Amino acid sequence: MSGAVVAVAVVIALWALVASPRARWRGPVATPVAKVAVFGGAGLGLALTGSGGMGAGLVGAAVLLSALARTPEVRALAAPVPAADDGGRPASG
């Protein structure tokens, strides 16, 4: 198995366990650290392959989107919606 395949598998596992919305070990420190590792590594990988501008753009977009996701307006949009107690039946209409 090549190093690139192993690296991708590690990144997927890290994201699934720590950074995804349904991650088992989300936390105020672990999640941002995992995101920095994933997006920083991707940006570094792009820079090392000769696409430094694309790498910087990816990291910049990740930082901007993470900052916007922390605003109260966006957090309110992501608030869980209470489920209707309809017994699992599809809506009639």
Side-chain angles (χ1 to χ4, degrees):
M1 191 179 299
S2 75
V5 173
V6 172
V8 169
V10 168
V11 166
I12 290 170
L14 177 66
W15 192 268
L17 293 173
V18 181
S20 75
R22 294 184 181 175
R24 179 177 296 236
W25 294 298
R26 283 184 67 86
V29 175
T31 300
V33 168
K35 288 182 177 184
V36 166
V38 168
F39 287 111
L44 179 62
L46 283 167
L48 292 175
T49 60
S51 299
M54 294 296 284
L58 173 68
V59 171
V63 169
L64 177 64
L65 290 174
S66 293
L68 289 174
R70 294 198 165 282
T71 64
E73 295 84 3
V74 174
R75 290 180 84 66
L77 291 172
V81 177
D85 187 20
D86 61 2
R89 293 182 302 274
S92 60

